[in-house]
Amino acid sequence: MDFTVHLNQYDTIFLNMQEFLSRSKSIDDMLVLLKKAVLWELKREYSDIQYFDDTDLARTIQDIYQNVQSTFVIIIDEWDCIFREYKQDKETQERYLDFLRDLLKDKEYIELVYMTGILPIKKYGTHSALNMFDEFSMINAGPLAPYVGFTESEVAQLCQRFDMDMEEVKSWYDGYTFEEEPAVYSPRSVVSCMRFGKIGTYWNQTETFEALRIYIDMNFEGLKDDVLSMMAGERVALNVGSFTNDMTTFQTEDDVLTLLVHLGYDSACQSVFIPNHEIRQEYVNAVSVSDWGEISKALKNSADTSNAIRKRRPQQVAEGINQAHFEMSHIQYNDENALSYTISLALYAARNYYTIYREFPSGKGFADMVFLPRKRFPEKPALSVELKWDKSAIFCLIDADIILYADHAYKNEGSLDCICIDGHSLPYRISEMARFDPADGDNGSDWILGGREVQ
């Protein structure tokens, strides 16, 4: 459709609902103020029309249409502010929806209504009060996906213009994924990053982690496990069908996760996941101050645990990993995948400096977890973790010769050390420190640990 055909052809009514709400003490006050403001402008613009009832907004617009045969475009911003401010007040929410339905639904004076907000239209019973809209959301953005945020090509141009590292910007602000647009970046964070020339957390300038904490602390079976899995970099299956499009009616963990998608804390494309490092940090902040026992402590101490590996302090590493034990979770420690969640949480702070890979190609086989330093931190050693259930898990600090991982290569002077951790029982135990014997001649696939060979 050629928009120039419709350009400047319609009178437009713009309503910022948050502005009206902030100046009112109740829904009644808000609607009175809104009607009064719009009626004043309409009667000033169309002063020569005789109105049936100039206190009735819908009837007044209808009178204008019948006299001048001009339809209206209505733009409503922050349409869902009532549902965010009056979360528990169902009567207020219904009265607000009734007002919108009376004003907008099946009216011949309407050419187009465009509403923006965080939440989809609230469902009541089996039907929606406003079922005449096409909805585009964070669950399904449809043709509007490229306009949810910045696209990959747009961010690449901005990075070139403002001399920013595209790889770093991507890891911090990318991750919102739609079928129509696979890579969408958080718009405000990208703008702030370019303006200030600094990679950092800008999300908390518009929303505090306390808002996230309220939802992830809810007592739904499996919710905590799914949050921890997502924090470890995993994707979680999601059913969005039962979500009722408000911020209080939750029946299952899926409803909570669906709301987090709409709020921007998660991304969903067939499954739900934490989209980028900036949002992941909000989860860390929320869990760290929540009553999640040893998990909260492990996240707070993850920087010390990561540093302890680099400093070759096995006892401190063991204590840090022991804190990450999911003693409050239903996850069972019976496979390497579950162990990787523990490592991911214990070394969470390492994500500030490393890109973490699972099942990473290394020579003849795969390394279970590999931490490769980002471009900004070339002084950091690479870290390889080999997880062995009922055997020994090995942390390998790669500092020697040339270590090849697929298309990545690291060349440093020094030695290749490892820390061996017993992965069979919890709490974890440090077995011993060991040094790789280069005479073994197989590029490090075997390790000499205290005189015994571990495959």
Side-chain angles (χ1 to χ4, degrees), residues 229-305:
S229 297
M230 290 192 299
M231 291 177 66
E234 302 297 317
R235 291 173 177 254
V236 174
L238 179 66
N239 176 16
V240 302
S242 62
F243 184 59
T244 58
N245 298 347
D246 65 27
M247 305 180 78
T248 57
T249 308
F250 303 107
Q251 304 297 329
T252 67
E253 61 163 319
D254 285 329
D255 295 340
V256 178
L257 294 176
T258 301
L259 174 62
L260 294 180
V261 172
H262 287 298
L263 294 177
Y265 286 109
D266 291 336
S267 182
C269 186
Q270 298 180 339
S271 58
V272 63
F273 57 96
I274 299 175
N276 53 52
H277 185 72
E278 182 182 39
I279 302 302
R280 189 175 290 111
Q281 188 59 46
E282 294 301 298
Y283 276 86
V284 172
N285 294 339
V287 173
S288 296
V289 298
S290 295
D291 187 18
W292 286 32
E294 296 300 317
I295 297 172
S296 298
K297 295 179 183 178
L299 287 173
K300 292 178 182 177
N301 298 330
S302 63
D304 294 335
T305 304

Coordinates of all heavy atoms in Angstrom, one line a residue, residues 229-305:
S229 N 17.9 -22.5 34.1 CA 18.3 -23.1 32.8 C 18.6 -22.0 31.8 O 19.6 -22.0 31.0 CB 17.3 -24.1 32.2 OG 17.1 -25.2 33.1
M230 N 17.7 -21.0 31.7 CA 17.9 -19.9 30.8 C 19.1 -19.1 31.2 O 19.8 -18.6 30.3 CB 16.6 -19.0 30.8 CG 15.4 -19.7 30.2 SD 14.1 -18.5 29.8 CE 13.7 -17.9 31.5
M231 N 19.4 -18.9 32.4 CA 20.6 -18.1 32.8 C 21.8 -18.9 32.4 O 22.9 -18.3 32.2 CB 20.5 -17.9 34.4 CG 19.5 -16.9 34.8 SD 19.4 -16.7 36.6 CE 21.0 -15.9 36.9
A232 N 21.7 -20.2 32.3 CA 22.9 -21.0 31.9 C 23.0 -21.1 30.4 O 23.9 -21.7 29.8 CB 22.7 -22.4 32.4
G233 N 22.1 -20.3 29.7 CA 22.2 -20.2 28.2 C 21.3 -21.2 27.5 O 21.3 -21.3 26.2
E234 N 20.4 -21.9 28.2 CA 19.5 -22.8 27.5 C 18.2 -22.2 27.1 O 17.8 -21.1 27.5 CB 19.2 -24.0 28.5 CG 20.4 -24.7 29.0 CD 21.1 -25.4 27.9 OE1 20.4 -26.1 27.1 OE2 22.4 -25.4 27.9
R235 N 17.5 -22.9 26.2 CA 16.1 -22.5 25.8 C 15.1 -23.4 26.5 O 15.4 -24.5 26.7 CB 16.0 -22.6 24.2 CG 16.8 -21.6 23.5 CD 16.8 -21.9 22.0 NE 17.5 -20.9 21.2 CZ 17.0 -20.0 20.5 NH1 15.6 -19.9 20.4 NH2 17.7 -19.1 19.8
V236 N 14.0 -22.8 26.8 CA 12.9 -23.5 27.5 C 11.6 -23.5 26.6 O 11.3 -22.4 26.1 CB 12.6 -22.8 28.8 CG1 11.4 -23.5 29.5 CG2 13.9 -22.9 29.7
A237 N 11.0 -24.6 26.5 CA 9.7 -24.7 25.8 C 8.7 -23.8 26.4 O 8.6 -23.7 27.6 CB 9.2 -26.2 25.7
L238 N 7.8 -23.2 25.6 CA 6.9 -22.2 26.1 C 5.5 -22.4 25.4 O 5.4 -22.5 24.2 CB 7.4 -20.8 25.9 CG 6.5 -19.6 26.3 CD1 6.3 -19.6 27.8 CD2 7.0 -18.3 25.8
N239 N 4.5 -22.4 26.2 CA 3.1 -22.4 25.7 C 2.4 -21.1 26.1 O 2.2 -20.8 27.3 CB 2.3 -23.6 26.4 CG 0.8 -23.6 25.9 OD1 0.4 -22.9 25.0 ND2 0.0 -24.3 26.7
V240 N 2.1 -20.3 25.1 CA 1.6 -18.9 25.3 C 0.1 -18.9 25.3 O -0.5 -17.9 25.6 CB 2.1 -17.9 24.3 CG1 3.7 -17.9 24.3 CG2 1.6 -18.3 22.9
G241 N -0.5 -20.0 25.1 CA -2.0 -20.1 24.9 C -2.8 -19.7 26.1 O -3.9 -19.1 25.9
S242 N -2.3 -19.9 27.3 CA -3.2 -19.7 28.5 C -3.0 -18.3 29.0 O -3.6 -17.9 30.0 CB -2.8 -20.7 29.6 OG -1.5 -20.6 30.0
F243 N -2.1 -17.5 28.5 CA -1.8 -16.1 29.0 C -3.0 -15.2 28.7 O -3.5 -15.2 27.6 CB -0.6 -15.6 28.3 CG -0.2 -14.2 28.9 CD1 0.1 -14.0 30.2 CD2 -0.1 -13.1 28.0 CE1 0.5 -12.8 30.7 CE2 0.3 -11.9 28.5 CZ 0.6 -11.7 29.9
T244 N -3.5 -14.6 29.8 CA -4.7 -13.8 29.7 C -4.4 -12.3 29.5 O -5.3 -11.4 29.6 CB -5.6 -13.9 31.0 OG1 -4.8 -13.5 32.1 CG2 -6.1 -15.3 31.1
N245 N -3.2 -11.9 29.2 CA -2.9 -10.6 28.8 C -3.0 -9.6 29.9 O -3.4 -8.4 29.7 CB -3.7 -10.1 27.5 CG -3.4 -11.0 26.3 OD1 -2.5 -11.7 26.3 ND2 -4.3 -10.9 25.3
D246 N -2.7 -10.0 31.1 CA -2.6 -9.0 32.2 C -1.4 -9.4 33.0 O -0.6 -10.3 32.7 CB -3.9 -8.9 33.0 CG -4.2 -10.2 33.8 OD1 -3.2 -11.0 34.1 OD2 -5.4 -10.5 34.0
M247 N -1.2 -8.6 34.1 CA 0.0 -8.8 34.9 C -0.2 -9.4 36.3 O 0.6 -9.4 37.2 CB 0.7 -7.4 35.1 CG 1.0 -6.7 33.8 SD 1.8 -5.1 34.0 CE 3.5 -5.6 34.4
T248 N -1.4 -10.0 36.4 CA -1.7 -10.6 37.7 C -2.3 -12.0 37.6 O -2.3 -12.8 38.6 CB -2.8 -9.8 38.5 OG1 -3.9 -9.6 37.7 CG2 -2.2 -8.4 38.8
T249 N -2.9 -12.4 36.5 CA -3.6 -13.7 36.4 C -2.6 -14.7 35.8 O -2.4 -14.8 34.6 CB -4.8 -13.6 35.5 OG1 -5.7 -12.5 35.9 CG2 -5.6 -14.9 35.5
F250 N -2.1 -15.5 36.7 CA -1.1 -16.6 36.3 C -1.6 -17.9 36.8 O -1.9 -18.1 38.0 CB 0.3 -16.3 36.9 CG 0.8 -14.9 36.5 CD1 0.9 -13.9 37.5 CD2 1.2 -14.7 35.3 CE1 1.3 -12.6 37.1 CE2 1.7 -13.4 34.9 CZ 1.8 -12.4 35.9
Q251 N -1.7 -18.9 35.9 CA -2.1 -20.2 36.2 C -0.9 -21.2 36.2 O -0.9 -22.2 37.0 CB -3.1 -20.7 35.3 CG -4.4 -19.8 35.2 CD -5.1 -19.7 36.5 OE1 -5.2 -20.7 37.3 NE2 -5.8 -18.6 36.7
T252 N 0.1 -20.9 35.4 CA 1.2 -21.8 35.3 C 2.5 -21.0 35.1 O 2.4 -19.8 34.9 CB 1.1 -22.7 34.0 OG1 1.1 -21.9 32.8 CG2 -0.2 -23.5 34.1
E253 N 3.6 -21.6 35.1 CA 4.9 -21.0 34.8 C 5.0 -20.4 33.4 O 5.6 -19.4 33.2 CB 6.1 -21.9 35.0 CG 6.1 -23.1 34.1 CD 7.4 -23.8 34.0 OE1 8.4 -23.1 34.0 OE2 7.4 -25.1 34.0
D254 N 4.2 -21.0 32.5 CA 4.2 -20.5 31.1 C 3.6 -19.1 31.0 O 4.1 -18.3 30.3 CB 3.4 -21.5 30.2 CG 4.1 -22.7 29.8 OD1 5.4 -22.7 29.8 OD2 3.5 -23.8 29.7
D255 N 2.6 -18.8 31.9 CA 2.0 -17.5 31.9 C 3.0 -16.5 32.4 O 3.1 -15.4 31.9 CB 0.8 -17.5 32.8 CG -0.4 -18.4 32.3 OD1 -0.4 -18.7 31.1 OD2 -1.2 -18.8 33.1
V256 N 3.8 -16.8 33.4 CA 4.8 -15.9 33.9 C 5.9 -15.6 32.8 O 6.3 -14.5 32.6 CB 5.5 -16.5 35.2 CG1 6.6 -15.5 35.7 CG2 4.4 -16.7 36.3
L257 N 6.4 -16.7 32.2 CA 7.4 -16.5 31.2 C 6.9 -15.7 30.0 O 7.6 -15.0 29.4 CB 7.9 -17.9 30.7 CG 8.7 -18.7 31.8 CD1 9.1 -20.1 31.2 CD2 9.9 -17.9 32.2
T258 N 5.6 -15.9 29.6 CA 5.0 -15.2 28.5 C 4.9 -13.7 28.8 O 5.2 -12.9 28.0 CB 3.6 -15.7 28.2 OG1 3.6 -17.1 27.9 CG2 3.0 -15.0 27.1
L259 N 4.6 -13.4 30.1 CA 4.6 -12.0 30.5 C 6.0 -11.4 30.4 O 6.2 -10.3 29.9 CB 4.1 -11.8 31.9 CG 4.2 -10.4 32.5 CD1 3.3 -9.4 31.6 CD2 3.8 -10.3 33.9
L260 N 7.0 -12.1 30.8 CA 8.4 -11.7 30.7 C 8.8 -11.4 29.3 O 9.6 -10.5 29.0 CB 9.3 -12.6 31.4 CG 9.1 -12.8 32.9 CD1 10.1 -13.8 33.5 CD2 9.3 -11.5 33.6
V261 N 8.3 -12.2 28.3 CA 8.5 -12.0 26.9 C 8.0 -10.6 26.5 O 8.6 -9.8 25.9 CB 8.0 -13.1 26.0 CG1 8.1 -12.7 24.6 CG2 8.7 -14.4 26.3
H262 N 6.7 -10.3 26.9 CA 6.1 -9.1 26.5 C 6.8 -7.9 27.2 O 6.9 -6.8 26.6 CB 4.6 -9.1 27.0 CG 3.8 -9.9 26.1 ND1 3.6 -9.7 24.8 CD2 3.0 -11.0 26.4 CE1 2.7 -10.6 24.3 NE2 2.4 -11.4 25.2
L263 N 7.4 -8.1 28.4 CA 8.1 -7.0 29.1 C 9.5 -6.8 28.5 O 10.2 -5.9 28.9 CB 8.1 -7.3 30.6 CG 6.8 -7.3 31.3 CD1 7.0 -7.7 32.8 CD2 6.1 -5.9 31.2
G264 N 10.0 -7.8 27.7 CA 11.3 -7.6 27.1 C 12.4 -8.4 27.8 O 13.6 -8.3 27.5
Y265 N 12.0 -9.1 28.9 CA 13.0 -9.8 29.7 C 13.4 -11.2 29.1 O 14.4 -11.7 29.4 CB 12.5 -10.1 31.1 CG 12.5 -8.8 32.0 CD1 11.3 -8.2 32.4 CD2 13.7 -8.3 32.5 CE1 11.3 -7.1 33.2 CE2 13.7 -7.2 33.3 CZ 12.5 -6.6 33.6 OH 12.5 -5.5 34.4
D266 N 12.6 -11.6 28.2 CA 12.8 -12.9 27.5 C 12.6 -12.6 26.0 O 11.9 -11.7 25.6 CB 11.9 -14.0 27.9 CG 12.3 -14.5 29.4 OD1 13.4 -14.2 29.8 OD2 11.4 -15.0 30.0
S267 N 13.1 -13.6 25.2 CA 12.7 -13.6 23.8 C 12.1 -14.9 23.4 O 12.5 -15.9 24.1 CB 14.0 -13.3 22.9 OG 13.7 -13.3 21.5
A268 N 11.2 -15.0 22.5 CA 10.6 -16.2 22.2 C 10.4 -16.4 20.7 O 10.0 -15.6 20.0 CB 9.2 -16.3 22.8
C269 N 10.9 -17.6 20.2 CA 10.7 -18.0 18.8 C 10.6 -19.5 18.9 O 11.6 -20.2 18.8 CB 11.8 -17.5 17.9 SG 11.5 -17.9 16.2
Q270 N 9.4 -20.0 19.2 CA 9.1 -21.4 19.5 C 9.6 -21.9 20.9 O 9.1 -22.8 21.4 CB 9.8 -22.3 18.4 CG 9.2 -22.0 17.0 CD 9.9 -22.9 15.9 OE1 10.9 -23.5 16.1 NE2 9.2 -23.1 14.8
S271 N 10.6 -21.2 21.4 CA 11.0 -21.5 22.8 C 11.5 -20.1 23.4 O 11.6 -19.1 22.7 CB 12.2 -22.5 22.8 OG 13.3 -22.0 22.1
V272 N 11.6 -20.1 24.7 CA 11.9 -18.9 25.4 C 13.4 -18.9 25.9 O 13.9 -19.9 26.3 CB 10.9 -18.6 26.5 CG1 11.0 -19.7 27.6 CG2 11.2 -17.2 27.2
F273 N 14.0 -17.7 25.9 CA 15.4 -17.7 26.3 C 15.8 -16.2 26.7 O 15.0 -15.3 26.3 CB 16.4 -18.2 25.2 CG 16.2 -17.5 23.9 CD1 17.1 -16.4 23.6 CD2 15.3 -17.8 23.0 CE1 17.0 -15.7 22.4 CE2 15.1 -17.2 21.8 CZ 16.0 -16.1 21.5
I274 N 16.8 -16.1 27.4 CA 17.3 -14.7 27.7 C 18.1 -14.2 26.5 O 19.0 -14.8 26.1 CB 18.2 -14.7 29.0 CG1 17.4 -15.3 30.2 CG2 18.8 -13.3 29.3 CD1 18.2 -15.4 31.4
P275 N 17.7 -13.0 26.0 CA 18.2 -12.6 24.7 C 19.6 -12.1 24.6 O 20.3 -12.4 23.6 CB 17.2 -11.5 24.3 CG 16.7 -10.9 25.6 CD 16.6 -12.1 26.5
N276 N 20.1 -11.5 25.7 CA 21.4 -10.9 25.6 C 22.1 -10.7 26.9 O 21.4 -11.0 28.0 CB 21.4 -9.6 24.8 CG 20.4 -8.6 25.4 OD1 20.4 -8.3 26.6 ND2 19.5 -8.1 24.5
H277 N 23.3 -10.2 26.9 CA 24.0 -10.1 28.2 C 23.4 -9.0 29.1 O 23.4 -9.2 30.3 CB 25.5 -9.7 27.9 CG 26.4 -9.6 29.1 ND1 26.8 -10.8 29.8 CD2 26.9 -8.6 29.8 CE1 27.5 -10.4 30.8 NE2 27.6 -9.1 30.8
E278 N 22.9 -8.0 28.5 CA 22.3 -6.9 29.3 C 21.1 -7.4 30.1 O 21.0 -7.2 31.3 CB 21.8 -5.8 28.4 CG 21.2 -4.6 29.2 CD 20.8 -3.5 28.2 OE1 20.2 -3.8 27.2 OE2 20.9 -2.3 28.6
I279 N 20.2 -8.2 29.5 CA 19.0 -8.7 30.2 C 19.5 -9.8 31.1 O 18.9 -9.9 32.2 CB 18.0 -9.3 29.2 CG1 17.6 -8.1 28.2 CG2 16.8 -9.8 29.9 CD1 17.0 -6.9 28.9
R280 N 20.5 -10.6 30.8 CA 21.0 -11.6 31.7 C 21.5 -11.0 33.0 O 21.3 -11.6 34.0 CB 22.1 -12.4 31.0 CG 22.5 -13.7 31.7 CD 23.5 -14.5 31.0 NE 22.9 -15.1 29.8 CZ 23.1 -14.8 28.5 NH1 24.0 -13.8 28.3 NH2 22.5 -15.4 27.6
Q281 N 22.1 -9.9 32.9 CA 22.5 -9.2 34.1 C 21.4 -8.8 35.0 O 21.5 -8.8 36.2 CB 23.4 -8.0 33.7 CG 24.1 -7.3 34.9 CD 25.0 -8.2 35.6 OE1 25.8 -9.0 35.0 NE2 24.9 -8.3 36.9
E282 N 20.3 -8.5 34.4 CA 19.1 -8.1 35.2 C 18.6 -9.4 36.0 O 18.2 -9.3 37.1 CB 18.0 -7.6 34.3 CG 18.3 -6.3 33.7 CD 18.5 -5.2 34.7 OE1 17.6 -4.9 35.5 OE2 19.7 -4.7 34.8
Y283 N 18.7 -10.5 35.3 CA 18.4 -11.8 36.0 C 19.3 -12.0 37.2 O 18.9 -12.5 38.3 CB 18.4 -13.0 35.1 CG 17.1 -13.2 34.3 CD1 16.9 -12.5 33.1 CD2 16.1 -14.0 34.7 CE1 15.7 -12.6 32.4 CE2 14.9 -14.2 34.0 CZ 14.7 -13.5 32.9 OH 13.6 -13.7 32.2
V284 N 20.6 -11.8 37.0 CA 21.6 -12.0 38.0 C 21.3 -11.1 39.2 O 21.3 -11.5 40.4 CB 23.0 -11.7 37.5 CG1 24.0 -11.7 38.6 CG2 23.4 -12.8 36.4
N285 N 21.0 -9.8 38.9 CA 20.7 -8.9 40.0 C 19.4 -9.3 40.8 O 19.4 -9.2 42.0 CB 20.4 -7.5 39.4 CG 21.6 -6.9 38.8 OD1 22.8 -7.3 39.1 ND2 21.5 -5.9 37.8
A286 N 18.4 -9.8 40.0 CA 17.2 -10.2 40.7 C 17.4 -11.4 41.6 O 16.9 -11.5 42.7 CB 16.1 -10.5 39.7
V287 N 18.1 -12.4 41.0 CA 18.3 -13.7 41.8 C 19.2 -13.4 43.0 O 19.1 -14.0 44.0 CB 18.9 -14.8 40.9 CG1 19.2 -16.0 41.7 CG2 17.8 -15.2 39.8
S288 N 20.2 -12.6 42.8 CA 21.2 -12.3 43.8 C 20.6 -11.7 45.1 O 21.0 -12.0 46.2 CB 22.3 -11.3 43.3 OG 23.0 -11.9 42.3
V289 N 19.5 -11.0 44.9 CA 18.8 -10.4 46.1 C 17.6 -11.2 46.5 O 16.9 -10.8 47.4 CB 18.5 -8.9 45.9 CG1 19.7 -8.1 45.6 CG2 17.5 -8.8 44.7
S290 N 17.3 -12.3 45.8 CA 16.1 -13.1 46.2 C 16.6 -14.2 47.2 O 17.8 -14.4 47.4 CB 15.6 -13.7 44.9 OG 15.0 -12.8 44.1
D291 N 15.6 -14.8 47.7 CA 15.9 -15.9 48.7 C 16.0 -17.2 48.0 O 15.2 -18.1 48.1 CB 14.7 -15.9 49.8 CG 15.1 -16.9 50.9 OD1 16.2 -17.2 51.0 OD2 14.1 -17.3 51.6
W292 N 17.1 -17.3 47.2 CA 17.3 -18.5 46.5 C 18.5 -19.3 47.1 O 19.2 -20.1 46.4 CB 17.6 -18.2 45.0 CG 16.4 -17.9 44.2 CD1 15.3 -17.2 44.7 CD2 16.1 -18.1 42.9 NE1 14.3 -17.0 43.7 CE2 14.8 -17.6 42.6 CE3 16.8 -18.7 41.8 CZ2 14.3 -17.6 41.3 CZ3 16.3 -18.8 40.6 CH2 15.0 -18.3 40.3
G293 N 18.7 -19.1 48.4 CA 19.8 -19.9 49.1 C 21.1 -19.8 48.5 O 21.6 -18.7 48.2
E294 N 21.8 -20.9 48.3 CA 23.2 -21.0 47.9 C 23.3 -20.5 46.4 O 24.4 -20.0 46.1 CB 23.7 -22.4 48.0 CG 23.8 -23.0 49.4 CD 24.7 -22.1 50.2 OE1 25.8 -21.7 49.8 OE2 24.4 -21.9 51.4
I295 N 22.2 -20.5 45.7 CA 22.3 -20.0 44.3 C 22.6 -18.5 44.3 O 23.4 -18.0 43.5 CB 21.0 -20.3 43.5 CG1 20.8 -21.8 43.4 CG2 21.0 -19.7 42.2 CD1 19.5 -22.3 42.9
S296 N 21.9 -17.8 45.1 CA 22.1 -16.4 45.2 C 23.5 -16.0 45.7 O 24.2 -15.1 45.2 CB 21.1 -15.7 46.2 OG 19.7 -15.9 45.8
K297 N 24.0 -16.8 46.6 CA 25.4 -16.6 47.1 C 26.4 -16.9 46.0 O 27.4 -16.2 45.8 CB 25.7 -17.5 48.3 CG 24.9 -17.2 49.6 CD 25.2 -18.2 50.7 CE 24.3 -17.9 51.9 NZ 24.6 -18.9 53.0
A298 N 26.1 -18.0 45.2 CA 27.0 -18.3 44.2 C 27.1 -17.2 43.1 O 28.2 -16.9 42.6 CB 26.6 -19.7 43.5
L299 N 26.0 -16.6 42.8 CA 26.0 -15.5 41.8 C 26.8 -14.3 42.3 O 27.5 -13.7 41.6 CB 24.6 -15.1 41.4 CG 23.8 -16.2 40.6 CD1 22.4 -15.7 40.4 CD2 24.5 -16.3 39.2
K300 N 26.6 -14.0 43.6 CA 27.3 -12.9 44.2 C 28.8 -13.1 44.2 O 29.6 -12.2 44.0 CB 26.8 -12.6 45.6 CG 25.4 -12.1 45.7 CD 25.0 -12.0 47.2 CE 23.5 -11.5 47.3 NZ 23.1 -11.4 48.7
N301 N 29.2 -14.4 44.4 CA 30.6 -14.7 44.5 C 31.2 -15.2 43.2 O 32.4 -15.7 43.2 CB 30.8 -15.8 45.6 CG 30.4 -15.3 46.9 OD1 30.4 -14.1 47.2 ND2 29.9 -16.2 47.8
S302 N 30.5 -15.2 42.1 CA 31.0 -15.8 40.8 C 32.2 -15.1 40.3 O 33.1 -15.8 39.7 CB 29.9 -15.8 39.8 OG 29.5 -14.4 39.4
A303 N 32.4 -13.8 40.5 CA 33.6 -13.1 40.1 C 34.8 -13.7 40.8 O 35.9 -13.9 40.2 CB 33.5 -11.6 40.3
D304 N 34.7 -13.9 42.1 CA 35.8 -14.5 42.9 C 36.1 -15.9 42.5 O 37.3 -16.3 42.4 CB 35.4 -14.4 44.4 CG 35.3 -13.0 44.9 OD1 36.0 -12.1 44.4 OD2 34.6 -12.8 46.0
T305 N 35.0 -16.7 42.2 CA 35.3 -18.0 41.7 C 36.0 -18.1 40.4 O 36.9 -18.9 40.2 CB 33.9 -18.8 41.6 OG1 33.2 -18.7 42.8 CG2 34.1 -20.2 41.2

